[in-house]
Amino acid sequence: MSASRSETTSALGPDEPDREGAGLDDSAPVPGSELLAALLDGMDAALCAFDAGGTITHWNREAERILGWSSEEAVGRRGFAGWAVRTADAGEVQGRLMAAMDAPGRQVHEFALLRKDGGRVLVRTQSARVLGADGKPAGVYCAFSEVHAQIDLERSIALSEALFDDASWGVVLVDVDLRPTVVNSYAARALGAGRTSPLGRPLGELVVQGVEELEGALHHVLAEGAPRGLAELWVTLSTTQGERRRCWRSGFLRLASPLAEEPVPLGVGWLFHDVTESKLAEQEADRLRFRSSQLHRAGRAAAECEDSMEAATAYLDFALAGFADHALLDLMEPDGERLVRAAATPSGAPGPCVPVVGGGFPVRYPPGHPALQAADRNGSVRASAPASAAATADWAADRQWPRDAVHVLCTVLRSRGRTLGVVTFLRGASRPAFERADAMYAESVAVLAAASLDLAGRAEE
């Protein structure tokens, strides 16, 4: 007994404590065999191993789950014949598995194996040789999984690669800090950047306007989950060509780790499609329908007016809805030299366009005034104030307009080949500048108003 004691102490070494008879504390290293068993049983794939003679030496829990045979029942058997493979197929299966001993790298095969309950399952195997201490093949290990599970995994990987390659939708993965981590080709083009340059950057560096709504949607998905429907987000992007306003129809998915016991958010999958052109077309169609309806209503209202000036201002009142904040009506004197203010909307607050009480006075428009230009060109003139607030107020006051006017559209009143005057539409800072489509609408209103005014002139003649 003493000899055994001394041998044990000698084996531990002079500087190592004798742990015989003493309990090991929690910090003691895990024995190699127990660690190997834990690693094998914790694998997501089924694994078995054969020695050089074809005898099973390892069998993990996933293999037991798939086939139903426990480790005690499998380890020590020679091959799969008669229990995990039909006898008629055993030779071929065993030969293909053990052939990995003679070839470097991995070999992939598909086999039909038998469950313990008698059912069959198609598995995909990856086998490779195991080298011994002398560098010679000592056996084979074989990892296998059910084919349908493997195909599902491959489909998921293929789908991910397709989405992040050149999908017809933009795909962006955003982490919990709302910074892009993966951007596909479509999204990179939409953001006006490369596939790597947006990574790790705040969204505010990519989106000039609309980033608050986008980040709010991402926060909601992280906290509450994905919404049921799609959302349309209007954003303004800063590019080398200037700012671009775009509409993105977006869907969101909360990403959680499949490896955690409880869902742990990894971020958000953001999918979007640029629908700017279709949305602008829809808006334009809605605008045209509304303006056509307003002209129809204005015509019916003007037809009930006994006074021609009242009929002309009725057209202007209906045109103002959703179009402008103010309207001014200036008529040309008989000599054709000056314009006289005939009607206007209140300058302090919104209101109808009413005739000037007691008749108007000639307006002192300076040379080059937009109203004078419209009269000279027999067309429409658009203009906008400078950017600074002080310059805007002076700009409007110098041109005899309300001080809050920022954008102007002047169009001529023509009837029977004569210029009858000029109508001016004004917008404040809350509205966009007038566009070509707005000028065409104003010209349609001006034609109707001019016809009413000319009718009054003919009646006086």
Side-chain angles (χ1 to χ4, degrees):
M1 182 68 177
S2 60
S4 174
R5 170 76 173 177
S6 63
E7 290 173 2
T8 302
T9 304
S10 175
L12 291 172
D15 296 330
E16 298 184 28
D18 183 1
R19 296 178 181 266
E20 183 179 353
L24 298 177
D25 58 31
D26 293 339
S27 63
V30 178
S33 60
E34 295 181 10
L35 177 60
L36 176 60
L39 290 174
L40 292 178
D41 287 339
M43 293 178 62
D44 292 332
L47 185 138
C48 64
F50 303 85
D51 62 15
T55 301
I56 296 176
T57 59
H58 294 81
W59 188 267
N60 72 349
R61 289 183 180 177
E62 184 65 12
E64 179 180 346
R65 185 193 68 80
I66 294 176
L67 297 180
W69 301 95
S70 66
S71 176
E72 292 76 10
E73 294 172 310
V75 173
R77 289 179 181 265
R78 183 177 177 81
F80 289 149
W83 61 286
V85 175
R86 293 191 310 174
T87 304
D89 300 331
E92 179 188 358
V93 171
Q94 192 72 8
R96 293 168 69 181
L97 288 176
M98 300 306 294
M101 289 185 60
D102 301 325
R106 294 181 297 176
Q107 295 186 3
V108 179
H109 303 285
E110 289 187 2
F111 302 123
L113 301 183
L114 293 177
R115 299 182 190 272
K116 187 176 181 179
D117 59 9
R120 301 181 69 190
V121 57
L122 184 64
V123 300
R124 179 173 295 175
T125 65
Q126 295 186 32
S127 55
R129 64 184 179 181
V130 179
L131 300 179
D134 56 359
K136 296 181 180 180
V140 172
Y141 79 84
C142 172
F144 62 92
S145 60
E146 297 176 81
V147 166
H148 71 83
Q150 183 71 20
I151 291 176
D152 289 343
L153 175 61
E154 292 179 1
R155 285 197 187 107
S156 298
I157 295 174
L159 174 61
S160 299
E161 291 180 350
L163 286 175
F164 292 116
D165 186 16
D166 197 18
S168 57
W169 279 64
V171 181
V172 180
L173 295 191
V174 182
D175 62 18
V176 292
D177 295 323
L178 306 189
R179 295 173 183 261
T181 58
V182 183
V183 177
N184 76 341
S185 301
Y186 184 105
R189 292 192 299 269
L191 293 169
R195 292 192 60 177
T196 57
S197 58
L199 304 186
R201 296 169 56 187
L203 292 173
E205 295 183 5
L206 305 171
V207 180
V208 178
Q209 296 179 2
V211 67
E212 295 84 2
E213 291 79 2
L214 176 56
E215 290 183 342
L218 295 173
H219 276 301
H220 175 81
V221 174
L222 284 172
E224 305 292 338
R228 293 184 178 180
L230 299 177
E232 292 181 351
L233 302 174
W234 281 94
V235 298
T236 302
L237 305 173
S238 179
T239 65
T240 55
Q241 292 79 25
E243 294 186 351
R244 293 188 304 138
R245 185 161 174 78
R246 314 302 296 171
C247 181
W248 291 337
R249 183 169 294 156
S250 304
F252 302 92
L253 299 170
R254 181 165 62 177
L255 306 179
S257 172
L259 303 180
E261 294 183 2
E262 296 185 4
V264 177
L266 297 177
V268 177
W270 170 31
L271 292 81
F272 68 91
H273 189 66
D274 193 321
V275 294
T276 307
E277 301 303 326
S278 61
K279 292 300 295 183
L280 291 178
E282 290 177 9
Q283 292 178 359
E284 183 63 22
D286 292 341
R287 186 182 299 113
L288 289 175
R289 281 193 296 268
F290 175 75
R291 290 178 176 179
S292 176
S293 175
Q294 288 297 97
L295 288 177
H296 174 73
R297 295 174 60 197
R300 292 177 62 88
E304 302 300 324
C305 296
E306 296 182 0
D307 181 69
S308 60
M309 179 59 70
E310 183 182 359
T313 56
Y315 285 112
L316 300 184
D317 287 336
F318 277 94
L320 283 174
F323 181 69
D325 298 315
H326 301 288
L328 308 175
L329 179 61
D330 301 325
L331 298 182
M332 188 71 69
E333 287 188 330
D335 58 8
E337 295 295 330
R338 295 181 299 181
L339 291 172
V340 177
R341 178 65 44 81
T345 55
S347 59
C353 185
V354 296
V356 176
V357 178
F361 293 95
V363 288
R364 296 172 297 171
Y365 287 152
H369 191 280
L372 299 178
Q373 293 183 40
D376 291 340
R377 299 176 184 178
N378 289 333
S380 299
V381 175
R382 290 172 285 156
S384 294
S388 64
T392 297
D394 295 338
W395 178 81
D398 292 344
R399 288 159 179 77
Q400 310 297 314
W401 296 326
R403 299 181 67 86
D404 61 343
V406 175
H407 309 292
V408 61
L409 170 59
C410 297
T411 187
V412 68
L413 296 167
R414 296 275 298 176
S415 180
R416 292 191 297 160
R418 296 181 301 152
T419 297
L420 304 183
V422 175
V423 60
T424 300
F425 293 102
L426 300 166
R427 288 179 176 175
S430 62
R431 295 177 181 267
F434 288 101
E435 299 178 351
R436 177 56 191 158
D438 299 322
M440 295 174 64
Y441 178 59
E443 290 168 1
S444 299
V445 174
V447 167
L448 298 173
S452 296
L453 294 171
D454 189 29
L455 183 62
R458 293 178 64 182
E460 293 176 0
E461 294 174 358

